[in-house]
Amino acid sequence: MKFMRSARCSLLAILVLGAVAQLATAQIPVGTTKTGTFVWDGQRWIPAEEAPPPPAPDMQEAVITVDEAPPPLPVYEQPPCPAPNLMWTPGNWHHGLFGYYWVPGAWVPVPYVGALWTPPYWGWAGGSFVFHSGYWGPHIGYYGGVNYGGGFMGIGFAGGSWNGGVFAYNTAVVNVNRTVVTNVYVNTTIVQQTTIVNTTNVSYNGGPNGIQHQPTTEEQVALHETHTPPTTFQQQHITSAASDKTNLASNNGGHPTNLAVTKPLAAQTVAPPKGFTPPPPRPVAELAKAQASPEVVAAAKTATTKTASVAKPTPPPAKSTPPPPAKTASAPMAPPPPKTTPPPPAKNAPMVEDKSTPPPAKNVPKVEEKSTTPPPPKAPPKVEEKSAPKSDAKTPPKPEPKAEDKGKPKPKPKPEDQPKQ
């Protein structure tokens, strides 16, 4: 009995395995001999090398909130655009398990003709900083008024526009390789009209010290259009930046070394939104004269003044403190003239002293010789005090003749005067 039961179990197992094998082989196309890894697409098994790449995740679904403000934006030079129809994606601060890290800027092939990139930004909401991911769309959307440079001056994009099926670059603010990229123009007016002045390089919108800019009508319209998330290669670029420890703000102090990459990312083609067509071509002269709408111009000026009133209280004290020392430094500049005046008297003083000192030395002995006889009351006491050291050597012979001079005063002094003459 035990043998019969074990035989039945083994037969059932063989039947189940056979059915599974038939089901698996039925999904493989007839006439193929491929072996290896297969991917189930929901209906059939497809060889892994023929399977399309997985779609990029929608970053709008992943909400990142942080209590700490992102570091200021570093200032760097944009690498030249190496090929036509590449869109600049500026560098930005992202956040991961180890805090903020820098994602270098890069040139990216557009997913479809006519696509424009809206960069990500950090915004203040509910007492925290919320990350808003970037996306591709027919128009530039709202990115918080953050001035990333490279054409993203705070509102819209002043670095160029689609001209039919080719992208034209505004070299007034975008760096391109002129030998390869020839569809260019210069328009400084629109750059000034869309620039939000950001002297402190704040990298977030709202809050006590952030950029104070609300979406314009054009930005609100673009916000509700059909968006394409970052490409798979853009996501890989973000992941590789997170794995590089030198990009961490905790390691570089908010000053990353790898600010931008020169080599463009790989291309990934995506179908454009339904009903979308690129704008028609226009003469380059018209692109050079294009201007922003009055609403955009007013919004840029308003955001500039609000940012100045919020973000400049800290810089002014730093700037006002150096001026006082500058004024005090100018006050001591008066002393140099007196310093120049003392040297001449110092030089003249020794000259006078040298000439004045020798004459009194010569005149004193002469006065002593003449003053010894005539002025007994006044001259001798003064001359004796000064000539005392000199008279000691000469006085011993003089007192002896003076005692004898009482009888014969005149004959002795005469022979003494002759040798002196």
Side-chain angles (χ1 to χ4, degrees), residues 46-270:
I46 303 175
E49 60 270 15
E50 297 180 3
D58 189 359
M59 294 298 294
Q60 296 291 346
E61 296 179 357
V63 179
I64 303 175
T65 58
V66 185
D67 295 334
E68 182 183 1
L73 292 173
V75 180
Y76 61 96
E77 294 184 1
Q78 180 189 48
C81 180
N85 293 352
L86 296 179
M87 194 72 179
W88 173 249
T89 59
N92 62 92
W93 289 106
H94 213 290
H95 196 277
L97 295 176
F98 301 99
Y100 285 103
Y101 63 92
W102 178 255
V103 179
W107 290 100
V108 181
V110 294
Y112 58 88
V113 176
L116 296 173
W117 173 252
T118 298
Y121 73 97
W122 288 91
W124 173 265
S128 301
F129 296 93
V130 183
F131 181 76
H132 302 268
S133 176
Y135 55 85
W136 297 94
H139 300 91
I140 301 293
Y142 177 74
Y143 52 94
V146 179
N147 188 342
Y148 289 102
F152 295 95
M153 315 310 295
I155 303 178
F157 182 66
S161 60
W162 283 97
N163 193 13
V166 181
F167 191 83
Y169 297 89
N170 183 8
T171 55
V173 68
V174 175
N175 187 14
V176 300
N177 185 354
R178 298 296 187 87
T179 60
V180 180
V181 180
T182 57
N183 194 14
V184 297
Y185 64 95
V186 177
N187 188 341
T188 58
T189 302
I190 195 170
V191 174
Q192 297 174 356
Q193 292 175 341
T194 58
T195 297
I196 294 180
V197 178
N198 188 356
T199 57
T200 56
N201 298 331
V202 177
S203 60
Y204 60 91
N205 172 273
N209 297 321
I211 303 296
Q212 308 297 326
H213 168 62
Q214 299 298 326
T216 61
T217 303
E218 297 177 2
E219 291 174 329
Q220 289 178 355
V221 172
L223 191 63
H224 294 86
E225 292 178 337
T226 302
H227 299 157
T228 300
T231 64
T232 303
F233 301 101
Q234 286 180 284
Q235 291 298 326
Q236 294 176 358
H237 180 62
I238 297 173
T239 303
S240 62
S243 61
D244 188 353
K245 295 182 180 180
T246 60
N247 293 326
L248 290 172
S250 57
N251 292 337
N252 55 43
H255 302 282
T257 55
N258 186 19
L259 296 169
V261 294
T262 57
K263 184 179 179 180
L265 304 184
Q268 181 179 356
T269 304
V270 178

